Amino acid sequence: QVQLVESGGGLVQTGGSLRLSCIASGVSLNRSRVGWFRQAPGKEREFIAATSWNDLTTFYADSVKGRFTISRDNSRNTVYLQMNSLKPEDAAVYCCAAALVVPGATRRSTYDYWGQGTQVTVSS
């Protein structure tokens, strides 16, 4: 069974940093597009960042561009989200997601697997 488990969330002051980790089991990330999303109470899920299966292309939401960095370690089947210069509006539950890539297939933006999320709280 495929499982994505996030960790690294917690309480941080405005301007601080956190590094989130997402460990995958049951699926290899070395041929998967991976991404991070967040959702705050009463708000819709928001795309944060993604990287293509070969890390040749990365995408960031305007709200986090220049502050957050997505990366991966395929040997550990893990994806990371480095978050710097955190703001109160960054507070949310952060989830990772993975999409299996089929060679030659049409581009898509959907994801196949999702984690349950880790809470990030930013204090003033």
Side-chain angles (χ1 to χ4, degrees), residues 5-9 16-23 34-39 46-51 58-61 64-73 78-84 86 90 92-97 118 120:
V5 180
E6 301 94 338
S7 63
S17 299
L18 284 175
R19 189 196 195 197
L20 306 183
S21 298
C22 172
I23 302 176
V34 294
W36 286 93
F37 299 78
R38 69 188 183 190
Q39 187 168 21
E46 178 187 12
F47 165 79
I48 297 301
T51 184
T58 56
F59 306 86
Y60 293 96
V64 306
K65 197 171 299 181
R67 299 189 297 121
F68 291 11
T69 303
I70 187 171
S71 62
R72 76 169 84 201
D73 184 345
T78 301
V79 60
Y80 305 97
L81 183 69
Q82 178 66 46
M83 306 186 296
N84 298 327
L86 283 162
D90 293 321
V93 174
Y94 284 73
C95 296
C96 62
T118 184
V120 172

Side-chain angles (χ1 to χ4, degrees), residues 56 59 75 103:
L56 291 180
F59 306 86
S75 68

